[in-house]
Amino acid sequence: MSEYGAIEKEARVFTELCEQNDRIDPTLFETFGVKRGLRDKDGKGVLTGITNISRIDAFEERDGKKVPCDGKLWYRGYNVYDLIKGLRGKRYGFEETAYLLLLGDLPTAAQIKEFNDTLVRCRDLPTNFIRDVIMKAPSRDLMNSLTRSVLTLASYDDSVGNNSLQTQLEQCLKLISVFPMLAVYGYHAYNYYVNESSMYIHRPHPELSTAENLLLMLRPDRSYTPLEAHVLDIALLLHMEHGGGNNSTFTTRVVTSSGSDTYSVMAAALCSLKGPKHGGANIKVMEMCDDIRAHVHDLTDEDELKAYLGKIVDKQAFDRKGLIYGMGHAVYSLSDPRAVVFKGFVQQLAEAKGRKADFDFYNAIERLAPQVIAEKRHIYKGVSTNVDFYSGFVYNMLDIPVELYTPMFAVARIVGWSAHRMEELVNVDKIIRPAYQSIMKTRDYLPLEDRG
């Protein structure tokens, strides 16, 4: 029994009381006009602010009517398609795109060199931090380990209480620089102490990109191919930012608005991201695909595959939630532009890795799942593949352990969080205070001896 086992019985009783006393009649949400999620029933997001950092397009006006369109994602006014196309496979885009999101424009050659040099100077952890923090109490939940490391870094920063914009930006740059180290070293500590495997800590090389250093630090022999690094770089670029309205970015805005420090803000964002409905979605895709492989005899038989997908939607298979993970998105309608642009790179990597059969399997699910969902459910918008459908497959081909899937998301998304933190600090000096409608009924107080 764990050290917490002594309260398991009491906790179970308390949980039952919570479920009993906190349950609200679901019709009341509609009665009071409460709209949860990224989209309401009208197909619009719940407006909570304005931003100049990014934008998502899922609909367009035609003849005065709002109709679905192929999705578009914009970073500071630039289509992500163009940003990736501009790289032409000749250079890495993470750092250049981070500059764009943080500072508002594409850098010149001199500016990106200065920015890269700054990131390299920030890419250092306090003396003995790896031993005293990362290797202490390692956990399979690397997001918890990452959050603990971020909060502990505040203890080493004498400027943690300095509210100047320069200090806030410096702290954001430091965290962007060290996140890959915190994530990968956290995995190695877990792998050594919990899995009883080998321990190795490789230092990042100053001349390499973030994607290259991630693979170098992760692998025992430090080796990687240019294709592997470029595909990982594209994955990071596509996960950096997403319209401002996602859960973890809104968390960043909310905690920033309270006046909290950078480390606490990023820790809060990490706690939001780790949820399976947000940053953990690609893990669910991988688990679902493993389940399909285990129950479908012939993966090339589309009738058999479609029938099993139908069982998943009918809550008769996999986790019985009725969801085909990686399909559909709360904002996009016809297509997720991240998935569209990423798919070509996924195919290149699959062919290079001898995983074409696996790619064909994913491609079949992508084609059949919308048909199954359309047949089984009444839907008000199109169902398309989202980026989570392919990102887990890519990480698997890159031999990135599943425990690192969500931390890899965080390595990218901290750039967007930082951009939104700075935008909030620059423009707004008022706390975000959402409203809840109280449906509580007043009651007369009963003395303890009269409570039955």
Side-chain angles (χ1 to χ4, degrees):
M1 181 180 291
S2 70
E3 58 185 295
Y4 301 106
I7 65 167
E8 287 181 358
K9 181 178 179 181
E10 291 85 346
R12 187 159 51 248
V13 173
F14 294 156
T15 301
E16 291 172 356
L17 287 172
C18 283
E19 290 182 332
Q20 174 184 326
N21 294 327
D22 285 347
R23 187 71 63 188
I24 296 175
D25 181 351
T27 62
L28 292 177
F29 285 89
E30 184 172 350
T31 299
F32 289 101
V34 177
K35 297 175 179 178
R36 296 296 295 268
L38 294 176
R39 293 168 68 95
D40 57 28
K41 291 185 178 180
D42 300 323
K44 297 180 179 179
V46 180
L47 185 63
T48 59
I50 58 176
T51 182
N52 195 36
I53 296 170
S54 64
R55 191 181 82 211
I56 295 169
D57 290 343
F59 295 86
E60 61 186 16
E61 294 287 338
R62 293 180 189 170
D63 300 325
K65 295 182 179 180
K66 181 180 175 183
V67 296
C69 67
D70 288 325
K72 297 182 181 67
L73 176 60
W74 308 83
Y75 288 175
R76 295 286 190 179
Y78 295 98
N79 193 314
V80 290
Y81 286 154
D82 295 331
L83 294 176
I84 293 173
K85 184 179 178 181
L87 299 173
R88 295 184 175 86
K90 297 180 180 179
R91 65 182 192 278
Y92 295 95
F94 178 88
E95 292 76 13
E96 186 173 317
T97 310
Y99 183 102
L100 170 65
L101 288 173
L102 281 169
L103 304 179
D105 208 349
L106 289 171
T108 64
Q111 288 170 333
I112 191 59
K113 182 181 184 306
E114 181 181 7
F115 186 71
N116 285 336
D117 290 344
T118 300
L119 293 179
V120 169
R121 287 195 299 272
C122 292
R123 197 176 294 147
D124 193 21
L125 293 171
T127 303
N128 297 327
F129 189 89
I130 298 174
R131 181 196 69 189
D132 296 341
V133 180
I134 296 178
M135 291 187 180
K136 190 172 184 178
S139 169
R140 176 186 179 86
D141 191 330
L142 297 186
M143 289 296 284
N144 282 352
S145 298
L146 184 55
T147 303
R148 183 182 69 234
S149 294
V150 169
L151 287 172
T152 307
L153 280 172
S155 302
Y156 293 84
D157 189 345
D158 294 334
S159 300
V160 69
N162 186 330
N163 294 326
S164 71
L165 289 176
Q166 178 179 333
T167 299
Q168 308 307 308
L169 181 57
E170 289 173 357
Q171 291 167 344
C172 288
L173 290 172
K174 289 176 183 177
L175 289 176
I176 290 170
S177 299
V178 301
F179 253 46
M181 301 165 67
L182 298 179
V184 174
Y185 294 168
Y187 170 74
H188 287 320
Y190 153 76
N191 198 36
Y192 176 76
Y193 287 106
V194 179
N195 290 344
E196 299 183 352
S197 189
S198 299
M199 164 69 78
Y200 44 90
I201 300 294
H202 301 323
R203 294 185 179 275
H205 291 184
E207 72 278 7
L208 298 180
S209 68
T210 297
E212 291 173 299
N213 271 318
L214 274 166
L215 295 175
L216 177 147
M217 290 188 292
L218 182 61
R219 296 177 173 177
D221 61 0
R222 302 182 178 90
S223 66
Y224 56 88
T225 67
L227 176 60
E228 289 177 319
H230 278 291
V231 172
L232 179 56
D233 180 66
I234 296 300
L236 295 174
L237 189 157
L238 291 172
H239 282 88
M240 274 186 179
E241 164 61 9
H242 202 231
N246 61 82
N247 195 281
S248 59
T249 300
F250 182 58
T251 299
T252 301
R253 290 274 196 171
V254 170
V255 183
T256 293
S257 76
S258 75
S260 192
D261 65 273
T262 301
Y263 300 94
S264 296
V265 168
M266 297 309 171
L270 284 166
C271 292
S272 169
L273 184 70
K274 70 170 288 187
K277 295 179 182 179
H278 193 3
N282 54 15
I283 297 176
K284 296 295 292 185
V285 173
M286 295 295 292
E287 292 173 348
M288 178 189 72
C289 288
D290 288 342
D291 178 81
I292 293 172
R293 289 187 182 96
H295 292 91
V296 175
H297 179 263
D298 183 1
L299 295 178
T300 64
D301 185 337
E302 294 198 355
D303 290 336
E304 185 183 5
L305 181 57
K306 187 174 181 180
Y308 193 74
L309 290 173
K311 289 183 178 180
I312 293 177
V313 174
D314 288 337
K315 301 182 180 181
Q316 298 174 0
F318 186 42
D319 61 0
R320 290 172 167 75
K321 296 284 183 66
L323 299 174
I324 299 179
Y325 292 93
M327 290 294 141
H329 192 276
V331 176
Y332 296 116
S333 50
L334 297 185
S335 63
D336 179 341
R338 301 170 301 172
V340 173
V341 72
F342 199 33
K343 185 175 180 179
F345 294 96
V346 177
Q347 184 173 5
Q348 290 180 45
L349 186 62
E351 292 173 352
K353 292 280 187 178
R355 302 279 298 271
K356 186 177 184 302
D358 287 328
F359 178 79
D360 291 341
F361 167 58
Y362 275 81
N363 199 32
I365 296 176
E366 179 184 14
R367 186 174 64 259
L368 297 174
Q371 300 174 24
V372 173
I373 294 171
E375 292 170 4
K376 296 279 185 179
R377 293 184 176 174
H378 177 70
I379 53 176
Y380 69 91
K381 69 181 184 71
V383 177
S384 59
T385 309
N386 62 54
V387 71
D388 293 318
F389 184 73
Y390 284 112
S391 62
F393 178 40
V394 165
Y395 294 158
N396 178 263
M397 288 192 288
L398 293 175
D399 297 319
I400 295 172
V402 68
E403 294 89 349
L404 271 174
Y405 284 13
T406 309
M408 293 293 288
F409 195 157
V411 166
R413 188 54 64 86
I414 188 178
V415 176
W417 295 338
S418 297
H420 281 276
R421 172 164 171 76
M422 296 307 299
E423 188 177 58
E424 185 75 20
L425 291 171
V426 168
N427 291 286
V428 186
D429 188 22
K430 184 177 289 187
I431 191 170
I432 296 173
R433 189 183 185 280
Y436 270 69
Q437 177 69 49
S438 175
I439 58 171
M440 174 189 66
K441 294 181 179 179
T442 59
R443 295 183 286 180
D444 292 332
Y445 176 80
L446 288 177
L448 180 60
E449 59 271 17
D450 294 339
R451 293 176 196 169

